[in-house]
Every structure is written in C-alpha cells, then in structure tokens.
Amino acid sequence: MTLTDGRPEEKSAPRPAGLGAAGWARWFWRTLTSMRTALILLFLFALASIPGSVWPQRGVSDAKVAQYYDDSPALAEWLDRLWLFDVFRAPWFAAIYLLLFVSLIGCVLPRTAAHLRELRRRPPAAPRNLARLPQHAVLDGDLTVQEAARRLRRLRFRVTTGPDWVSAEKGYLKETGNLLFHVALLGLLLAVGAGALYGYRGNVLVVEGDGFANTVAAYDRYMPGQQVNAESLEPFSFTLEDFQATYIAQGPKRGQALDYSAKLAVSDAPGAPERDYELKVNEPLDVNGTLTYLIDHGYAPTFRITDGEGQVAFEGAVPCLVVQPATFTSECVIKVPDALPEQLGLMVAFLPTTVPAEGGEWVSVFPGAANPTAQVYGAFAGDLGMGNGRPQSVYEIPPEILKKMKPLVMKADPLAKGEKLELPGGAGTIEFTGVREWVALQITHDPGRMPALLSAALATAALVFSLTVRRRRVWVRTGAGGGPAEAGGLTRTEGGDFGEEFAGIVAVLNQGSTPGVKDAR
C-alpha cells in the first residue's frame, strides 16, 4: 500500500511485550528467593519481635495489659488494633514468618543442587601461564605428575591430572557451611512452629500441703497450642510437701535471697509410685518432656473464721500477693460467702517479721517469717456479688461491690499466731492459725525445644565453617616440556592471606613433608 505521494507507508514500531502473569510470577519468585530478600526478611523478623518485649503480652502478662488499659485507654486501644499486645499471633508477624520460611526454602534448594554438582565436578585444568596467578613459585628439582598428585592428596586436596599438570582444589566446606546454616535456620523456624502448634504452657499456684494434677481444670492459666487437646497432657501429679527460702540475715545485703527449694512428691503416671524431687530455680522437674519451673513464691497464712451464728464458715490457707518484695509484706483478701447472717469480706496484710514503727504503725523488716502477724485493715459485711454469675478475682473485692457493703473494722492491731479478732455487731471472729507458703509454677511442654537447640548448635558450627574456610585452587606444571616445574594458586573467596599456606604447599611439593601448612581443610 502506498500514499498519494508515492512513498511506501511507514509501519509503526512494535510495542514491547509485557511480562504477563507468568513473567511477573517468575520475577516475584526470583526476588523472594534471593539471598538479599532472605536477609531483609530475617532482619524484619528480628525487628518484629522487639514489640513483644516492649509491651506486655496477653497470655504472659495479662495483669499488665489490663493495667495499660487503666493507665492509657486510648493508647492501649490503638496498640491492640496493631496487635502489639499479641505480637507473636499478629497477622503481620505470621506473614513475615511464612515469607522468610518460603524464601529460605527457595534459596537453599537450588543452591544445594548447584553445590552437589560442584562437588562432582573435577577441578579445572591448569592455566597455560601460572606466573599470572596471585600466587606463583618455581619448584626445585624434578617432580612427576604422579608424585605431585600424591603430595597434594596428603594435604586433603581433590586432585585431577593431565599430561604434564596437576590441578587441586579444596575449601568446599565454606559453601557446605553456608548451606547448613540456612538449613539450620529452617529447622529453627520449624521447631518454633511445632512448639506453637503442639506445645502448651500453663501457670498454677500451689500451697504447701496441696497437690497438683496435670489436667486443664487444675491450671490457673492455660495456653494450649492449636493442635493440643486435653488428652495431650502428660498425666503426672505431685504434692508440694515443703518450701524453703533462705535469706542473708546480717550485713549490708540483709534480706537478700540465697536459695529457693520446693520439695515435691511426684507421681509420673496414675498409680505410679511417688518419688521425691527437689525443685529449684533453673532446675525444673522433667516428666517425659513436660517441664515444671519454679518462678515465684509467697506466704499463705491460715485462718479460721467463725460467723455470727457460731459456725466455722471458713478455714484454710489464703495466698497473699507480695506488695513489698524487700520485706515480703503481703496483702490478701478473704471472701466468706457462707457466713451468716451476712456474708463477710476481709482485707488482710501479712507481715513476716513484725516490729512496731512510729505513729502506732507496724511494719515487716525481714522477708523470713521470724515474727509473723496478720493485720486486718478492712472487714465488711454484705453481699459479695458472687451469685450473679460474673467471675471475680480471688485477690480483690470489686470496688463497686465494696461500696455497697457495711464496714465493720478499719485497721485493727496485728494478730499473732493463735490470736482472734472479734468483729463488731456479732458478725463473728477471725483467728490467725498459722503460716504456710505458696509457689507459682510454670508448666511447659514444647516439642520443638530440643530441635531448636540442635538447630541453633548446627547454625553456629556451620557459621564457623562459612566464615573461616576459603575455596582455593593450586596447579602444578611438572616442566615435562623442557621448562622448570612451577606451581600457582589462588583463592576463590576474598579475605585471609593465602600466601603463607601456599608457601607451605610449595615446601611440601619440594620436599614431600608438611611443615608450614596451617590449614588442611
């Protein structure tokens, strides 16, 4: 076809073809599985873990999360929207975790295949001019190909030979270590994932003389993995027979703890004979992979409360929460819903070593129970609100309920062991009968714990090989064509001085001994 002026019509230049769906998929996969992306994701993974140690986490510090809402409700609401109170369950954390996992797999598999091909490949033939190599030396005397190959093999080189040359190479452990390091990271990620799916963690408070059976109902707080059910728990049980805390009694460090020890009578399975075990900090009880850790302790004074009709409405130990760690001054709440004619709510301070202070006050001066007393600083009568179906903390009386109750006693004198306090209006009596102690235990089962440890150890060892071993090649020409025998060498990786090792190799080729060779890998 021509235009009116007789010139041929010019065709428009073809538009460049787009990548298309397949092209974009290949580009995304290559980018995701590149080493740079893997390093960026590993950095993001570490960075994303930081908020988990900055802000309190649900399931670990629920009370601190609640306190955050009380102190800064607006900020806490935004933090919650960003999952900063549940960092390790957040969608963005899971996305980084999965992308890192896929990236490492896509990075390791092709590199492993390439490394295996490299291991099967023979070292390349010797260059024509060895003098151009970074390391070069003229050898003394005559040297046959067979003898040069034998001496290099003694230095653990992989060797191949030609008509008048020998080629040797070693240092494959560098790439092997690099690959093993990434495989270990994959193992570490798998171990963490297995622990999250098939592990569980729970906390429980046990008072001296009481027992614990590893069932879901026995936990104060229970956090199972997604694949854990009630039958997954190891069926062990134990009784806390005694707890002892030892403190420094004199000097500037008076009151500082020296040791904690909990004596347990353990039954590894229903019907199994009991065995004694001394539980200490960082010395957990291990029952078939389920670990029981000692994480806290406190006092549980015992009381007998008689109501206004002369009946014993409550008798037992009451765990107290520590409010002054230096002296273990503690506070506890006693709720007596069975008291008649009215229910009773008591707030008590426990003083382990009681001494009088100025202004008629009483204080504790030592964490050990040298002179224990219990001081009722609030006694109330009325409806405790325990029949409305709403859960309540055993460690407090809700303020809205306390306002509706009738005050009976406000700050009485401390009670020594065996002493009673008469409540006014014929409401009853409270008697301080003794002192026991409680321990807080964390019970964990993590099937990924040992694989994670082995993966971390493998990663460390592999990293050592990756950073210290170098790929290097050595060639020898025997001078069969009339020239002198010579050797040349180079490293395939930067860093380190190959000159000293090469001089030792030359000495071996000249003399057949091994002095001066510092690296035989």
Side-chain angles (χ1 to χ4, degrees), residues 55-67:
W55 286 283
Q57 300 295 293
R58 287 194 176 94
V60 178
S61 303
D62 292 326
K64 292 184 179 179
V65 174
Q67 186 64 41

Side-chain angles (χ1 to χ4, degrees), residues 174 466-472 490-499 501 519:
K174 180 178 182 64
S466 178
L467 295 177
T468 58
V469 178
R470 296 161 297 161
R471 286 282 298 275
R472 56 263 200 223
L490 57 81
T491 58
R492 296 190 62 187
T493 53
E494 297 180 358
D497 182 13
F498 183 49
E501 183 183 358
D519 194 341

Side-chain angles (χ1 to χ4, degrees), residues 297-318:
H297 74 101
Y299 288 102
T302 60
F303 299 93
R304 181 185 296 113
I305 298 176
T306 305
D307 63 16
E309 297 187 357
Q311 303 296 321
V312 176
F314 174 86
E315 186 172 16
V318 181

Side-chain angles (χ1 to χ4, degrees), residues 342 380-383 398-407:
E342 291 184 287
F380 301 86
D383 185 9
E400 62 274 12
I401 292 177
L402 198 60
K403 292 178 181 178
K404 301 177 182 179
M405 300 182 72
K406 179 176 62 177

Side-chain angles (χ1 to χ4, degrees), residues 324-464:
Q324 294 182 12
T327 62
F328 260 71
T329 299
S330 308
E331 293 181 352
C332 45
V333 169
I334 309 173
K335 299 179 183 181
V336 193
D338 298 328
L340 295 175
E342 291 184 287
Q343 296 179 351
L344 297 176
L346 308 169
M347 292 184 289
V348 181
F350 177 75
L351 310 175
T353 302
T354 311
V355 297
E358 296 180 357
E361 299 291 331
W362 299 84
V363 296
S364 176
V365 294
F366 189 74
N371 182 29
T373 62
Q375 184 179 27
V376 178
Y377 64 89
F380 301 86
D383 185 9
L384 291 169
M386 300 177 66
N388 57 16
R390 296 180 181 177
Q392 289 188 16
S393 171
V394 297
Y395 300 108
E396 67 172 358
I397 301 175
E400 62 274 12
I401 292 177
L402 198 60
K403 292 178 181 178
K404 301 177 182 179
M405 300 182 72
K406 179 176 62 177
L408 300 176
V409 175
M410 303 301 292
K411 205 168 188 179
D413 290 336
L415 300 175
K417 183 178 177 181
E419 293 183 344
K420 295 182 180 180
L421 172 65
E422 293 284 345
L423 299 177
T429 62
I430 174 172
E431 180 183 359
F432 176 36
T433 58
V435 179
R436 290 155 69 182
E437 295 189 66
W438 59 261
V439 296
L441 306 174
Q442 184 176 81
I443 299 170
T444 64
H445 176 71
D446 185 359
R449 182 174 60 92
M450 189 55 65
L453 176 62
L454 295 177
S455 296
L458 177 61
T460 303
L463 192 61
V464 171

